[in-house]
Amino acid sequence: MADRTARTTSHRAAPAHTHPDDVPLQTALAALADPVRLQLVRELAGSADWTRACGSFDVPVQKAALSHHFSVLRQAGIVEQRDAGPKRVNRLRREEFDARFPGLLDLVLRQDPLDR
Amino acid sequence: MADRTARTTSHRAAPAHTHPDDVPLQTALAALADPVRLQLVRELAGSADWTRACGSFDVPVQKAALSHHFSVLRQAGIVEQRDAGPKRVNRLRREEFDARFPGLLDLVLRQDPLDR
DNA sequence: AGGAGTGTATGATGTTCATCGAACACCAGG
DNA sequence: CCTGGTGTTCGATGAACATCATACACTCCT
C-alpha cells in the first residue's frame, strides 16, 4: 500500500515480451509466415512508434485472434507493447530485431509483386 | 517423337519446380520455418552442386517425410533437383533465390547461438 | 458507482501439417 | 529378368495452430 507515487497508470499485468536476442530463427520465421501477422507488421512499420493500438489494424479477424497474433509477435521479439490507458499501443522493434536478424525486416517490408 | 537428342537419362517424371521469382514471400518463410528443412538447406549449402542425393542427409525422419520436405523446398524455389541414375541429386538455388529474397539465405546459413 | 471501450483468457472447433508404414515406380547391375 | 537401392505416392494418425464466441479484467469518463 502507498506505493502509488511512481505509478504511471495500469495495474494490469505487463505483457510478456521476448528480446530479439533470445529468439530462435525458426520462431522469427514462423511468426512472419502468416498473412495476418505480416499485415500487422507492415501496417505498423508505416506508423510512428506508440501511435497504433491493437484494435486499429485492418485485419479480417476477431479481437481474440488478433490478441493471439500480437502475443506471437511479442514473443518473436518483433513488436513491443505498452499500456496507455485502456488501450495497448505498439511499436515495431526495428533496431533490435534488425541487429539480431539483419535484412529480415527489410525483406518483409519491401512490397513484392506476388504478395497480397 | 524424335526429340531424344537432348535426353540425359531417366524416363521419370521430372520433379515439379518453382522458380524463386514465382514464390510468394510467405511460402519462402514457411518453407524455412521448419527444423528438418533448415538442416537440409544448411547441409546442402556446405556441399558442391549436384553432389548430394536426397538420402544422404542426416535428418531424423523416414524417407517418406524426407521426400515431402524436398517437395516443399522445390516449390519454394530453394532447391533444384535432377535425376542421376537411381538417385536424385540436389542443388541449392543460391543466386536465383538470393535475387528474389536478398539476405534471406545468408540469414539462414549464418550459424546462430540459439539455433540447434 | 456505473458504463463504454479495449484487450485477454478460456474452451471448442476446424484445418493445416509433419510424420509414419506400406505399396508402388524407376534405375542400374548381375 | 530378377534384385537391391532410391525416391514417390497414398492413407491414416497425431499435433500444432488459427479462429470464434463467450466471459472476464482493466481503464477512463461521467
Side-chain angles (χ1 to χ4, degrees):
Chain A
M1 60 240 352
D3 66 336
R4 25 200 74 178
T5 42
R7 284 232 176 271
T8 13
T9 28
S10 141
H11 300 173
R12 250 191 293 190
H17 285 94
T18 306
H19 192 280
D21 288 354
D22 299 327
V23 174
L25 173 62
Q26 264 181 239
T27 304
L29 294 176
L32 294 171
D34 177 279
V36 174
R37 290 193 288 264
L38 216 41
Q39 187 174 344
L40 291 178
V41 169
R42 284 173 171 156
E43 263 188 63
L44 195 51
S47 314
D49 289 358
W50 311 123
T51 61
R52 301 291 303 270
C54 295
S56 76
F57 292 83
D58 186 25
V59 286
V61 294
Q62 299 296 99
K63 53 181 190 167
L66 187 60
S67 182
H68 161 66
H69 285 302
F70 271 109
S71 167
V72 172
L73 290 176
R74 261 189 339 252
Q75 282 163 37
I78 301 176
V79 307
E80 188 179 0
Q81 296 187 315
R82 166 200 297 176
D83 288 341
K87 311 197 173 183
R88 183 160 280 188
V89 289
N90 297 274
R91 166 192 163 249
L92 189 61
R93 307 184 78 159
R94 226 184 236 278
E95 281 193 24
E96 310 125 274
F97 193 83
D98 228 58
R100 169 77 172 102
F101 302 111
L104 187 48
L105 266 186
D106 291 343
L107 205 63
V108 162
L109 298 180
R110 207 188 50 178
Q111 196 62 321
D112 274 313
L114 292 179
D115 294 343
R116 23 55 193 280
Chain B
M1 65 277 285
D3 65 337
R4 31 199 68 177
T5 42
R7 280 228 179 277
T8 12
T9 27
S10 136
H11 301 174
R12 250 190 297 190
H17 285 95
T18 306
H19 193 281
D21 288 354
D22 298 327
V23 173
L25 172 61
Q26 265 181 239
T27 304
L29 294 176
L32 294 171
D34 177 279
V36 174
R37 290 192 288 264
L38 215 42
Q39 187 174 345
L40 291 177
V41 170
R42 284 173 172 155
E43 262 188 66
L44 196 52
S47 314
D49 288 359
W50 311 123
T51 62
R52 302 291 302 268
C54 295
S56 75
F57 293 83
D58 185 26
V59 286
V61 293
Q62 298 297 99
K63 53 181 192 169
L66 187 60
S67 182
H68 161 66
H69 285 303
F70 272 108
S71 167
V72 172
L73 290 176
R74 264 190 334 255
Q75 282 163 37
I78 301 176
V79 307
E80 189 178 0
Q81 297 187 315
R82 167 201 296 176
D83 289 341
K87 311 198 174 184
R88 184 160 279 187
V89 289
N90 297 276
R91 164 191 165 250
L92 189 61
R93 307 184 78 159
R94 228 185 234 279
E95 282 192 24
E96 310 125 276
F97 193 82
D98 227 58
R100 170 76 173 102
F101 302 111
L104 187 48
L105 266 186
D106 291 342
L107 204 63
V108 162
L109 298 179
R110 206 188 52 179
Q111 195 60 322
D112 274 313
L114 293 179
D115 292 345
R116 28 49 194 290

